[in-house]
């Protein structure tokens, strides 16, 4: 990922990972930093769409209190949970 378009996309996503809490910032910003570049385009698109979800829902999913309605979102949440041992 080295094109100007990819860099602009990462910058936009970086802004969108800034959530209402530091915890969510760290969890989703960490996934962007550590997993996004290796993800396929479908997973990248899923991550982008996941960032449209409201913070309380994201928090419930990350904490394991509820499950997202989409399998691709669940895969990202599972990865975040595994990396942070949640």
């Amino acid at each position: 990922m080295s094109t100007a378009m990819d860099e602009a996309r990462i910058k936009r996503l970086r802004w969108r990972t800034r959530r209402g809490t530091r915890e969510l910032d760290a969890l989703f910003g960490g996934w962007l930093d550590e997993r996004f570049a290796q993800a396929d385009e479908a997973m990248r698109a899923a991550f982008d769409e996941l960032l449209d979800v409201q913070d309380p829902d994201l928090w419930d999913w990350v904490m394991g209190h509820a499950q997202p309605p989409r399998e691709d979102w669940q895969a990202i949440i599972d990865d975040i949970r595994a990396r942070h041992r949640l």
Side-chain angles (χ1 to χ4, degrees):
M1 291 192 41
S2 60
T3 68
M5 194 158 95
D6 290 334
E7 290 172 19
R9 182 181 191 186
I10 294 290
K11 192 173 186 177
R12 182 180 58 80
L13 288 169
R14 166 86 41 237
W15 178 256
R16 294 183 66 219
T17 61
R18 298 175 77 176
R19 311 303 295 194
T21 65
R22 273 187 253 158
E23 292 85 354
L24 287 176
D25 290 358
L27 295 171
F28 287 91
W31 196 90
L32 179 63
D33 291 339
E34 298 171 19
R35 298 286 199 247
F36 189 83
Q38 294 79 29
D40 63 22
E41 184 53 39
M43 192 60 70
R44 291 177 183 179
F47 182 72
D48 193 349
E49 294 162 3
L50 179 62
L51 295 178
D52 289 335
V53 174
Q54 296 295 312
D55 288 357
D57 291 328
L58 292 176
W59 184 254
D60 283 346
W61 298 343
V62 167
M63 292 294 105
H65 301 304
Q67 290 190 315
R70 291 174 42 177
E71 288 184 27
D72 51 358
W73 288 358
Q74 185 66 56
I76 294 167
I77 296 296
D78 288 345
D79 188 47
I80 289 170
R81 287 178 50 83
R83 286 181 41 248
H84 294 277
R85 298 183 183 140
L86 299 173

Coordinates of all heavy atoms in Angstrom, one line a residue:
M1 N 0.8 -1.2 0.0 CA 0.0 0.0 0.0 C 0.9 1.2 0.0 O 1.3 1.7 1.0 CB -0.9 0.0 1.2 CG -2.0 -1.0 1.2 SD -3.2 -0.8 2.5 CE -3.5 0.9 2.5
S2 N 1.2 1.7 -1.2 CA 2.0 2.9 -1.2 C 1.5 4.0 -2.1 O 2.2 5.0 -2.3 CB 3.4 2.4 -1.7 OG 3.3 1.8 -3.0
T3 N 0.4 3.8 -2.7 CA -0.1 4.8 -3.6 C -0.7 6.0 -2.8 O -1.0 5.8 -1.7 CB -1.2 4.3 -4.6 OG1 -2.3 4.0 -3.8 CG2 -0.7 3.1 -5.4
A4 N -0.8 7.1 -3.4 CA -1.4 8.3 -2.8 C -2.8 8.0 -2.4 O -3.2 8.4 -1.3 CB -1.3 9.5 -3.7
M5 N -3.5 7.3 -3.2 CA -4.9 6.9 -2.8 C -5.0 6.1 -1.6 O -5.8 6.3 -0.7 CB -5.6 6.2 -4.0 CG -7.1 6.2 -3.9 SD -7.9 5.9 -5.5 CE -8.0 4.2 -5.5
D6 N -4.1 5.1 -1.5 CA -4.0 4.2 -0.3 C -3.7 5.0 0.9 O -4.2 4.9 2.0 CB -3.0 3.1 -0.5 CG -3.5 2.1 -1.5 OD1 -4.7 1.9 -1.7 OD2 -2.6 1.4 -2.1
E7 N -2.7 6.0 0.8 CA -2.3 6.8 1.9 C -3.5 7.7 2.4 O -3.7 7.9 3.6 CB -1.1 7.6 1.5 CG 0.2 6.8 1.4 CD 1.3 7.5 0.8 OE1 1.3 8.8 0.9 OE2 2.3 6.9 0.4
A8 N -4.2 8.2 1.4 CA -5.4 9.0 1.8 C -6.5 8.2 2.5 O -7.1 8.7 3.4 CB -6.0 9.7 0.5
R9 N -6.6 7.0 2.0 CA -7.6 6.1 2.7 C -7.2 5.8 4.1 O -8.0 5.9 5.0 CB -7.7 4.8 1.9 CG -8.7 3.8 2.4 CD -8.7 2.5 1.6 NE -9.8 1.7 1.9 CZ -10.0 0.5 1.4 NH1 -9.1 0.0 0.5 NH2 -11.0 -0.2 1.8
I10 N -5.9 5.5 4.3 CA -5.4 5.2 5.7 C -5.6 6.5 6.6 O -6.1 6.4 7.7 CB -3.9 4.8 5.7 CG1 -3.8 3.5 5.0 CG2 -3.4 4.8 7.1 CD1 -4.3 2.3 5.7
K11 N -5.3 7.6 6.0 CA -5.5 8.9 6.8 C -7.0 9.1 7.2 O -7.3 9.4 8.3 CB -5.0 10.0 6.0 CG -4.8 11.3 6.7 CD -4.1 12.4 5.9 CE -3.8 13.6 6.7 NZ -3.1 14.6 5.9
R12 N -7.9 8.8 6.3 CA -9.3 9.0 6.5 C -9.7 7.9 7.6 O -10.4 8.3 8.6 CB -10.1 8.8 5.3 CG -11.6 8.9 5.5 CD -12.4 8.7 4.1 NE -12.1 7.4 3.5 CZ -12.7 6.3 3.9 NH1 -13.6 6.3 4.9 NH2 -12.5 5.2 3.3
L13 N -9.3 6.7 7.5 CA -9.6 5.7 8.4 C -9.0 6.0 9.8 O -9.6 5.8 10.8 CB -9.1 4.3 8.0 CG -10.0 3.7 6.8 CD1 -9.3 2.5 6.3 CD2 -11.4 3.4 7.3
R14 N -7.8 6.5 9.8 CA -7.1 6.9 11.1 C -8.0 7.9 11.8 O -8.2 7.8 13.0 CB -5.8 7.5 10.8 CG -5.1 8.2 12.0 CD -4.3 7.4 12.9 NE -3.5 6.4 12.2 CZ -3.6 5.1 12.5 NH1 -4.4 4.6 13.4 NH2 -2.9 4.2 11.8
W15 N -8.6 8.9 11.1 CA -9.4 9.9 11.7 C -10.7 9.2 12.2 O -11.2 9.5 13.3 CB -9.8 11.0 10.7 CG -10.7 12.0 11.3 CD1 -12.1 12.1 11.0 CD2 -10.4 13.0 12.2 NE1 -12.6 13.1 11.7 CE2 -11.6 13.7 12.5 CE3 -9.2 13.4 12.9 CZ2 -11.7 14.8 13.4 CZ3 -9.3 14.4 13.7 CH2 -10.5 15.1 14.0
R16 N -11.3 8.3 11.5 CA -12.5 7.6 11.9 C -12.3 6.6 13.1 O -13.3 6.3 13.7 CB -13.1 6.9 10.7 CG -13.5 7.9 9.6 CD -14.2 7.2 8.4 NE -15.5 6.6 8.9 CZ -15.9 5.5 8.5 NH1 -15.3 4.8 7.6 NH2 -17.1 5.0 8.9
T17 N -11.1 6.2 13.3 CA -10.9 5.3 14.5 C -10.8 6.1 15.7 O -10.8 5.5 16.8 CB -9.6 4.4 14.3 OG1 -8.4 5.3 14.2 CG2 -9.6 3.5 13.1
R18 N -10.8 7.4 15.6 CA -10.8 8.2 16.9 C -12.2 8.2 17.4 O -13.1 8.9 16.8 CB -10.3 9.6 16.5 CG -8.9 9.6 16.1 CD -8.4 10.9 15.6 NE -8.1 11.7 16.8 CZ -7.6 12.9 16.8 NH1 -7.3 13.5 15.6 NH2 -7.4 13.6 17.9
R19 N -12.5 7.5 18.4 CA -13.8 7.2 18.9 C -14.1 8.1 20.2 O -13.3 9.0 20.5 CB -14.0 5.7 19.2 CG -13.6 4.8 18.1 CD -14.3 5.0 16.8 NE -15.7 4.8 16.9 CZ -16.5 4.7 15.9 NH1 -16.1 4.8 14.6 NH2 -17.8 4.5 16.0
G20 N -15.1 7.7 20.9 CA -15.5 8.5 22.1 C -14.7 8.1 23.3 O -14.7 8.9 24.3
T21 N -14.0 7.0 23.2 CA -13.2 6.6 24.4 C -11.8 6.2 23.9 O -11.6 5.8 22.8 CB -13.8 5.4 25.1 OG1 -13.7 4.3 24.2 CG2 -15.2 5.7 25.6
R22 N -10.8 6.4 24.8 CA -9.4 6.0 24.5 C -9.3 4.5 24.2 O -8.5 4.1 23.4 CB -8.5 6.4 25.6 CG -8.0 7.8 25.5 CD -6.9 8.1 26.5 NE -7.5 8.9 27.5 CZ -7.1 9.1 28.8 NH1 -6.1 8.4 29.2 NH2 -7.7 9.9 29.6
E23 N -10.2 3.7 24.9 CA -10.1 2.3 24.8 C -10.5 1.9 23.3 O -9.8 1.1 22.7 CB -11.0 1.6 25.8 CG -10.6 1.7 27.2 CD -11.1 3.0 27.9 OE1 -11.7 3.9 27.2 OE2 -10.8 3.1 29.1
L24 N -11.6 2.4 22.9 CA -12.0 2.1 21.5 C -11.0 2.7 20.5 O -10.7 2.0 19.5 CB -13.4 2.6 21.2 CG -14.5 1.9 21.8 CD1 -15.9 2.6 21.5 CD2 -14.6 0.4 21.4
D25 N -10.4 3.9 20.8 CA -9.4 4.4 19.9 C -8.3 3.4 19.8 O -7.8 3.2 18.6 CB -8.8 5.7 20.5 CG -9.8 6.9 20.5 OD1 -10.9 6.8 20.0 OD2 -9.3 8.0 21.0
A26 N -7.8 2.9 20.9 CA -6.6 2.0 20.9 C -7.0 0.7 20.2 O -6.2 0.2 19.4 CB -6.2 1.8 22.3
L27 N -8.1 0.2 20.4 CA -8.5 -1.1 19.9 C -8.7 -1.1 18.3 O -8.1 -1.9 17.6 CB -9.8 -1.6 20.5 CG -9.8 -2.0 22.0 CD1 -11.1 -2.3 22.5 CD2 -8.8 -3.2 22.2
F28 N -9.4 -0.1 17.9 CA -9.6 0.0 16.4 C -8.4 0.7 15.7 O -8.1 0.2 14.6 CB -11.0 0.7 16.1 CG -12.1 -0.1 16.5 CD1 -12.7 -0.1 17.7 CD2 -12.6 -1.0 15.6 CE1 -13.7 -0.9 18.1 CE2 -13.7 -1.9 15.9 CZ -14.2 -1.8 17.2
G29 N -7.8 1.6 16.3 CA -6.6 2.2 15.7 C -5.5 1.1 15.7 O -4.7 1.1 14.7
G30 N -5.4 0.3 16.7 CA -4.4 -0.8 16.7 C -4.7 -1.8 15.5 O -3.7 -2.3 14.9
W31 N -5.9 -2.1 15.3 CA -6.3 -3.0 14.2 C -5.9 -2.4 12.9 O -5.3 -3.1 12.0 CB -7.7 -3.4 14.2 CG -8.0 -4.6 13.3 CD1 -8.0 -5.9 13.7 CD2 -8.3 -4.6 11.9 NE1 -8.3 -6.7 12.6 CE2 -8.5 -5.9 11.5 CE3 -8.4 -3.6 10.9 CZ2 -8.8 -6.3 10.2 CZ3 -8.7 -4.0 9.6 CH2 -8.9 -5.3 9.3
L32 N -6.1 -1.1 12.7 CA -5.8 -0.4 11.5 C -4.2 -0.5 11.3 O -3.8 -0.8 10.2 CB -6.2 1.1 11.6 CG -5.9 2.0 10.4 CD1 -6.5 1.5 9.1 CD2 -6.3 3.4 10.7
D33 N -3.5 -0.2 12.4 CA -2.0 -0.2 12.3 C -1.4 -1.6 12.0 O -0.5 -1.8 11.2 CB -1.4 0.3 13.6 CG -1.7 1.8 13.8 OD1 -1.9 2.5 12.8 OD2 -1.6 2.2 15.0
E34 N -2.0 -2.6 12.6 CA -1.4 -3.9 12.6 C -2.0 -4.9 11.6 O -1.3 -5.9 11.3 CB -1.4 -4.5 14.0 CG -0.7 -3.7 15.0 CD -0.9 -4.1 16.5 OE1 -1.3 -5.3 16.7 OE2 -0.6 -3.3 17.4
R35 N -3.2 -4.7 11.2 CA -3.9 -5.7 10.4 C -4.3 -5.2 9.0 O -4.4 -6.0 8.1 CB -5.1 -6.3 11.1 CG -4.7 -7.0 12.4 CD -4.1 -8.4 12.1 NE -4.2 -9.2 13.2 CZ -3.1 -9.7 13.9 NH1 -1.9 -9.3 13.5 NH2 -3.3 -10.5 14.9
F36 N -4.6 -3.9 8.9 CA -5.3 -3.4 7.7 C -4.4 -3.7 6.4 O -5.0 -4.1 5.4 CB -5.6 -1.9 7.9 CG -6.4 -1.4 6.7 CD1 -7.8 -1.5 6.8 CD2 -5.8 -0.7 5.7 CE1 -8.6 -0.9 5.7 CE2 -6.6 -0.1 4.7 CZ -7.9 -0.3 4.7
A37 N -3.1 -3.4 6.5 CA -2.3 -3.5 5.3 C -2.3 -4.9 4.7 O -2.2 -5.1 3.5 CB -0.9 -3.1 5.6
Q38 N -2.4 -6.0 5.6 CA -2.4 -7.4 5.2 C -3.7 -7.9 4.8 O -3.9 -9.0 4.2 CB -1.8 -8.3 6.3 CG -0.3 -8.0 6.5 CD -0.1 -6.8 7.4 OE1 -0.9 -6.4 8.3 NE2 1.1 -6.1 7.3
A39 N -4.8 -7.2 5.2 CA -6.2 -7.6 4.9 C -6.5 -7.5 3.4 O -6.0 -6.7 2.7 CB -7.1 -6.8 5.7
D40 N -7.4 -8.4 3.0 CA -7.8 -8.3 1.6 C -8.8 -7.2 1.5 O -9.3 -6.6 2.5 CB -8.4 -9.7 1.1 CG -9.7 -10.1 1.9 OD1 -10.4 -9.3 2.5 OD2 -10.0 -11.3 1.9
E41 N -9.2 -6.9 0.3 CA -10.0 -5.7 0.0 C -11.4 -5.8 0.7 O -12.0 -4.9 1.2 CB -10.2 -5.4 -1.5 CG -11.0 -4.1 -1.8 CD -10.4 -2.9 -1.0 OE1 -9.2 -2.7 -0.9 OE2 -11.3 -2.1 -0.6
A42 N -11.9 -7.0 0.7 CA -13.3 -7.2 1.3 C -13.2 -6.9 2.8 O -14.1 -6.3 3.4 CB -13.7 -8.7 1.1
M43 N -12.1 -7.4 3.5 CA -12.0 -7.1 4.9 C -11.7 -5.6 5.2 O -12.2 -5.1 6.1 CB -10.8 -8.0 5.5 CG -10.8 -8.0 7.0 SD -12.3 -8.6 7.8 CE -12.2 -10.3 7.4
R44 N -10.9 -5.0 4.3 CA -10.7 -3.5 4.4 C -12.0 -2.8 4.3 O -12.3 -1.9 5.1 CB -9.8 -3.1 3.3 CG -8.3 -3.5 3.5 CD -7.5 -3.1 2.4 NE -6.1 -3.6 2.5 CZ -5.2 -3.4 1.6 NH1 -5.4 -2.6 0.6 NH2 -4.0 -3.9 1.8
A45 N -12.9 -3.2 3.4 CA -14.2 -2.5 3.2 C -15.0 -2.8 4.4 O -15.7 -1.8 4.9 CB -14.8 -3.0 1.9
A46 N -15.0 -4.0 5.0 CA -15.8 -4.3 6.1 C -15.3 -3.4 7.3 O -16.2 -2.9 8.1 CB -15.6 -5.8 6.5
F47 N -14.0 -3.2 7.5 CA -13.5 -2.4 8.6 C -14.0 -1.0 8.4 O -14.5 -0.3 9.4 CB -12.0 -2.4 8.6 CG -11.4 -1.6 9.7 CD1 -11.5 -2.1 11.0 CD2 -10.7 -0.4 9.4 CE1 -10.9 -1.3 12.1 CE2 -10.2 0.3 10.5 CZ -10.2 -0.1 11.8
D48 N -14.0 -0.5 7.2 CA -14.5 0.9 6.9 C -15.9 1.0 7.3 O -16.3 2.0 8.0 CB -14.3 1.2 5.4 CG -14.4 2.7 5.1 OD1 -14.9 3.5 5.9 OD2 -14.1 3.0 3.9
E49 N -16.7 0.0 6.9 CA -18.2 0.1 7.3 C -18.4 -0.1 8.7 O -19.3 0.5 9.3 CB -18.9 -1.0 6.4 CG -18.9 -0.7 5.0 CD -19.2 -2.0 4.1 OE1 -19.4 -3.0 4.6 OE2 -19.1 -1.8 2.9
L50 N -17.6 -0.9 9.4 CA -17.7 -1.2 10.8 C -17.5 0.2 11.6 O -18.2 0.4 12.6 CB -16.6 -2.2 11.3 CG -16.6 -2.5 12.8 CD1 -17.9 -3.2 13.2 CD2 -15.4 -3.5 13.0
L51 N -16.7 1.0 11.1 CA -16.5 2.3 11.8 C -17.7 3.2 11.7 O -17.7 4.3 12.4 CB -15.2 3.0 11.2 CG -13.9 2.3 11.4 CD1 -12.8 3.0 10.8 CD2 -13.7 2.1 12.9
D52 N -18.7 2.9 10.9 CA -20.0 3.6 10.9 C -20.9 3.3 12.1 O -21.8 4.0 12.4 CB -20.8 3.4 9.6 CG -20.1 4.0 8.4 OD1 -19.4 5.0 8.5 OD2 -20.4 3.4 7.3
V53 N -20.6 2.2 12.8 CA -21.4 1.8 13.9 C -21.1 2.7 15.1 O -20.0 3.2 15.4 CB -21.0 0.3 14.3 CG1 -21.7 -0.2 15.5 CG2 -21.4 -0.6 13.1
Q54 N -22.2 2.9 15.9 CA -22.1 3.7 17.1 C -21.2 3.1 18.2 O -21.2 1.8 18.3 CB -23.5 3.9 17.7 CG -24.4 4.7 16.8 CD -23.9 6.1 16.5 OE1 -23.6 6.9 17.5 NE2 -23.9 6.5 15.3
D55 N -20.5 3.9 19.0 CA -19.6 3.4 20.0 C -20.2 2.4 21.0 O -19.5 1.4 21.3 CB -19.0 4.6 20.8 CG -18.0 5.4 19.9 OD1 -17.7 5.0 18.8 OD2 -17.5 6.4 20.5
P56 N -21.4 2.6 21.5 CA -22.0 1.6 22.5 C -22.1 0.2 21.9 O -21.8 -0.8 22.6 CB -23.3 2.2 22.8 CG -23.2 3.7 22.6 CD -22.3 3.8 21.4
D57 N -22.4 0.1 20.6 CA -22.5 -1.2 20.0 C -21.1 -1.8 19.8 O -20.9 -2.9 20.1 CB -23.2 -1.1 18.6 CG -24.7 -0.8 18.7 OD1 -25.3 -1.2 19.7 OD2 -25.2 -0.1 17.8
L58 N -20.2 -1.0 19.3 CA -18.8 -1.4 19.2 C -18.3 -2.0 20.5 O -17.6 -3.0 20.6 CB -17.9 -0.3 18.7 CG -18.1 0.1 17.2 CD1 -17.2 1.3 16.9 CD2 -17.9 -1.0 16.2
W59 N -18.5 -1.2 21.6 CA -18.0 -1.6 22.9 C -18.7 -2.9 23.4 O -18.0 -3.8 23.8 CB -18.4 -0.5 23.9 CG -17.8 -0.8 25.3 CD1 -18.5 -1.2 26.4 CD2 -16.4 -0.7 25.7 NE1 -17.7 -1.4 27.4 CE2 -16.4 -1.1 27.0 CE3 -15.3 -0.4 25.0 CZ2 -15.2 -1.2 27.7 CZ3 -14.1 -0.5 25.7 CH2 -14.0 -0.9 27.0
D60 N -20.0 -3.1 23.2 CA -20.6 -4.3 23.5 C -20.1 -5.5 22.8 O -19.9 -6.6 23.3 CB -22.1 -4.2 23.3 CG -22.9 -3.4 24.3 OD1 -22.3 -3.1 25.4 OD2 -24.0 -3.1 24.1
W61 N -19.8 -5.3 21.5 CA -19.2 -6.4 20.7 C -17.8 -6.7 21.1 O -17.4 -7.9 21.3 CB -19.2 -6.0 19.2 CG -20.6 -5.8 18.6 CD1 -21.8 -6.1 19.2 CD2 -20.9 -5.0 17.4 NE1 -22.8 -5.7 18.4 CE2 -22.3 -5.1 17.3 CE3 -20.1 -4.4 16.5 CZ2 -22.9 -4.5 16.2 CZ3 -20.7 -3.8 15.4 CH2 -22.1 -3.8 15.3
V62 N -17.0 -5.7 21.4 CA -15.6 -5.9 21.8 C -15.5 -6.6 23.2 O -14.7 -7.4 23.4 CB -14.8 -4.6 21.7 CG1 -13.4 -4.8 22.5 CG2 -14.6 -4.2 20.3
M63 N -16.5 -6.2 24.0 CA -16.5 -6.8 25.4 C -17.2 -8.2 25.4 O -17.2 -8.8 26.4 CB -17.2 -5.9 26.3 CG -16.4 -4.6 26.6 SD -14.9 -4.9 27.5 CE -13.7 -4.7 26.2
G64 N -17.7 -8.6 24.3 CA -18.4 -9.9 24.2 C -19.8 -9.9 24.8 O -20.4 -11.0 25.0
H65 N -20.4 -8.8 25.0 CA -21.8 -8.7 25.5 C -22.8 -8.9 24.4 O -24.0 -9.1 24.7 CB -22.0 -7.3 26.2 CG -21.1 -7.1 27.3 ND1 -21.0 -7.9 28.4 CD2 -20.2 -6.1 27.5 CE1 -20.1 -7.4 29.2 NE2 -19.6 -6.3 28.7
A66 N -22.4 -8.7 23.2 CA -23.3 -8.9 22.0 C -22.5 -9.3 20.8 O -21.2 -9.2 20.9 CB -24.1 -7.6 21.8
Q67 N -23.1 -9.6 19.7 CA -22.4 -10.0 18.5 C -22.9 -9.1 17.4 O -24.1 -8.8 17.3 CB -22.7 -11.4 18.1 CG -22.0 -12.4 19.0 CD -22.1 -13.8 18.5 OE1 -23.1 -14.2 18.0 NE2 -21.0 -14.5 18.5
P68 N -22.0 -8.7 16.5 CA -22.3 -7.9 15.3 C -23.2 -8.7 14.4 O -23.2 -9.9 14.4 CB -21.0 -7.5 14.7 CG -20.0 -8.3 15.3 CD -20.5 -8.9 16.5
P69 N -24.0 -8.0 13.6 CA -24.9 -8.7 12.7 C -24.3 -9.3 11.4 O -24.9 -10.0 10.7 CB -25.9 -7.6 12.3 CG -25.1 -6.4 12.4 CD -24.2 -6.6 13.5
R70 N -23.0 -9.0 11.2 CA -22.3 -9.5 10.0 C -21.1 -10.3 10.4 O -20.4 -10.0 11.3 CB -21.8 -8.3 9.2 CG -22.9 -7.5 8.6 CD -22.4 -6.2 7.9 NE -21.2 -6.3 7.1 CZ -20.7 -5.3 6.4 NH1 -21.3 -4.2 6.3 NH2 -19.6 -5.5 5.7
E71 N -20.9 -11.4 9.6 CA -19.8 -12.3 9.9 C -18.4 -11.6 9.7 O -17.5 -11.9 10.4 CB -19.8 -13.5 9.0 CG -21.0 -14.5 9.4 CD -21.0 -15.7 8.5 OE1 -19.9 -16.1 8.0 OE2 -22.0 -16.3 8.4
D72 N -18.3 -10.7 8.7 CA -17.0 -10.1 8.4 C -16.7 -9.1 9.6 O -15.5 -9.0 10.0 CB -17.0 -9.4 7.1 CG -18.1 -8.4 6.8 OD1 -19.1 -8.3 7.6 OD2 -18.1 -7.8 5.7
W73 N -17.7 -8.5 10.2 CA -17.5 -7.6 11.3 C -17.1 -8.5 12.5 O -16.2 -8.1 13.3 CB -18.7 -6.8 11.7 CG -19.0 -5.7 10.7 CD1 -18.3 -5.3 9.6 CD2 -20.1 -4.8 10.8 NE1 -18.9 -4.3 9.0 CE2 -20.0 -3.9 9.7 CE3 -21.2 -4.7 11.6 CZ2 -21.0 -2.9 9.5 CZ3 -22.1 -3.7 11.4 CH2 -22.0 -2.8 10.3
Q74 N -17.7 -9.6 12.7 CA -17.4 -10.5 13.8 C -15.9 -11.0 13.7 O -15.2 -11.1 14.7 CB -18.3 -11.8 13.8 CG -18.1 -12.7 15.0 CD -18.5 -12.0 16.3 OE1 -19.6 -11.5 16.5 NE2 -17.6 -11.9 17.2
A75 N -15.5 -11.2 12.5 CA -14.1 -11.7 12.3 C -13.1 -10.6 12.8 O -12.1 -10.9 13.4 CB -13.8 -12.0 10.8
I76 N -13.4 -9.3 12.5 CA -12.6 -8.2 12.9 C -12.6 -8.1 14.4 O -11.6 -8.0 15.1 CB -13.0 -6.9 12.2 CG1 -12.7 -7.0 10.7 CG2 -12.2 -5.7 12.9 CD1 -13.3 -5.9 9.9
I77 N -13.8 -8.2 15.0 CA -14.0 -8.1 16.4 C -13.3 -9.2 17.1 O -12.6 -9.0 18.1 CB -15.5 -8.1 16.8 CG1 -16.2 -6.8 16.3 CG2 -15.7 -8.2 18.3 CD1 -15.8 -5.5 16.8
D78 N -13.4 -10.4 16.6 CA -12.7 -11.6 17.1 C -11.2 -11.4 17.1 O -10.5 -11.7 18.1 CB -13.0 -12.9 16.4 CG -14.5 -13.4 16.6 OD1 -15.1 -12.9 17.6 OD2 -14.9 -14.2 15.8
D79 N -10.7 -10.8 16.0 CA -9.3 -10.5 16.0 C -8.8 -9.5 17.0 O -7.8 -9.7 17.7 CB -8.9 -10.1 14.5 CG -7.4 -10.0 14.3 OD1 -6.7 -10.9 14.7 OD2 -7.0 -8.9 13.8
I80 N -9.6 -8.5 17.1 CA -9.3 -7.4 18.2 C -9.3 -8.1 19.5 O -8.4 -7.8 20.4 CB -10.3 -6.3 18.0 CG1 -10.0 -5.5 16.8 CG2 -10.2 -5.4 19.3 CD1 -11.1 -4.4 16.4
R81 N -10.4 -8.8 19.8 CA -10.5 -9.5 21.1 C -9.3 -10.4 21.4 O -8.8 -10.4 22.5 CB -11.8 -10.2 21.2 CG -13.0 -9.3 21.4 CD -14.3 -10.1 21.5 NE -14.3 -11.2 22.4 CZ -14.6 -11.0 23.7 NH1 -14.8 -9.8 24.2 NH2 -14.5 -12.1 24.5
A82 N -8.9 -11.2 20.4 CA -7.8 -12.1 20.6 C -6.5 -11.4 20.8 O -5.7 -11.8 21.7 CB -7.7 -13.0 19.4
R83 N -6.2 -10.3 20.1 CA -5.0 -9.6 20.2 C -4.9 -8.9 21.6 O -3.8 -8.8 22.1 CB -4.9 -8.5 19.1 CG -4.6 -9.1 17.7 CD -4.4 -8.0 16.6 NE -3.7 -6.8 17.1 CZ -4.3 -5.6 17.2 NH1 -5.6 -5.5 17.0 NH2 -3.6 -4.6 17.6
H84 N -6.0 -8.6 22.1 CA -6.0 -7.9 23.4 C -6.4 -8.8 24.6 O -6.6 -8.3 25.7 CB -6.9 -6.6 23.3 CG -6.3 -5.6 22.4 ND1 -5.3 -4.7 22.8 CD2 -6.5 -5.4 21.1 CE1 -5.0 -4.0 21.7 NE2 -5.7 -4.4 20.7
R85 N -6.6 -10.0 24.3 CA -7.0 -11.0 25.3 C -8.3 -10.6 26.1 O -8.3 -10.6 27.3 CB -5.9 -11.3 26.2 CG -4.7 -11.9 25.5 CD -3.6 -12.3 26.4 NE -2.5 -12.8 25.6 CZ -1.2 -12.5 25.9 NH1 -0.9 -11.7 26.9 NH2 -0.2 -13.0 25.2
L86 N -9.3 -10.2 25.3 CA -10.5 -9.7 25.9 C -11.5 -10.9 26.0 O -11.5 -11.8 25.2 CB -11.1 -8.6 25.1 CG -10.3 -7.3 25.1 CD1 -10.9 -6.3 24.1 CD2 -10.1 -6.7 26.5

